[in-house]
Amino acid sequence: MKQNKNWMLAATILISGISFGLTSCKEAKAQEDNSVQQVVSTELIRTSQSWDGVELPDYLQGRPELVAVKYVFPAGQKLGWHHHPVMNYGILVQGELTIIGQDGKEKTVHEGEAVVEMVNTIHHGENRGDKPVILYMFYLSQKDLPLAVQHPEIPLK
């Protein structure tokens, strides 16, 4: 009888272990499946400077107006000279965009990169690539303020 009890105890432990192992595998698989469905957060940029290293201005006084704009720049397209009176930043989702300051300083933004634009500094952009640039820009503005002020008096080279 004692051998029978030992065998039953061993069988119970074995079955429990197998059951635990199967449960653990199922839980691990469920965790893997959940990890695919979980939100992933990746900080792309955190700065208080524009791409050229200049400190951003203090926030405007009064009620903010947040503006999001999608830009599509055809291959070979050049934007005219302009400046932004408000802070803005963006994410380039396709292509490469080269930003040129009036002083000749350049920054090429690549697909997947974030960029913080110059504020109150004249510059322009060029798509020197062979595919359209898609750029999402986010402006920290106020009602009735322009997002950009054009400078057509400055010729592009």
Side-chain angles (χ1 to χ4, degrees):
M1 192 69 141
K2 190 173 184 183
Q3 286 182 347
N4 207 10
K5 281 186 178 180
N6 287 342
W7 180 85
M8 289 183 71
L9 180 62
T12 302
I13 291 170
L14 180 63
I15 291 169
S16 295
I18 292 170
S19 176
F20 175 77
L22 291 174
T23 303
S24 295
C25 288
K26 286 178 186 175
E27 287 173 359
K29 180 66 177 156
Q31 286 175 354
E32 284 178 22
D33 292 344
N34 285 340
S35 69
V36 172
Q37 296 175 9
Q38 290 179 356
V39 173
V40 175
S41 171
T42 305
E43 187 172 286
L44 298 177
I45 194 166
R46 180 185 297 247
T47 185
S48 58
Q49 299 178 340
S50 57
W51 66 264
D52 62 340
V54 174
E55 289 292 320
L56 293 171
D58 290 336
Y59 280 115
L60 299 169
Q61 295 296 313
R63 183 172 305 279
E65 182 176 68
L66 306 177
V67 183
V69 179
K70 176 184 177 183
Y71 293 98
V72 179
F73 302 96
Q77 180 71 38
K78 290 183 180 183
L79 290 174
W81 292 99
H82 62 279
H83 77 270
H84 303 283
V86 298
M87 288 183 278
N88 65 93
Y89 63 97
I91 308 293
L92 192 98
V93 296
Q94 179 181 290
E96 291 184 353
L97 180 65
T98 302
I99 306 167
I100 303 103
Q102 212 173 8
D103 62 1
K105 190 183 265 188
E106 290 188 9
K107 165 88 175 158
T108 300
V109 184
H110 304 276
E111 199 167 291
E113 291 181 344
V115 63
V116 177
E117 277 272 40
M118 303 165 131
V119 180
N120 292 320
T121 300
I122 298 173
H123 62 282
H124 79 277
E126 298 179 1
N127 180 354
R128 297 175 178 169
D130 56 3
K131 66 180 176 181
V133 162
I134 299 175
L135 175 67
Y136 290 98
M137 293 299 296
F138 306 94
Y139 297 85
L140 309 172
S141 188
Q142 285 183 320
K143 187 175 178 169
D144 299 326
L145 273 180
L147 302 179
V149 176
Q150 301 300 317
H151 293 277
E153 71 279 6
I154 305 172
L156 285 174
K157 295 177 185 179

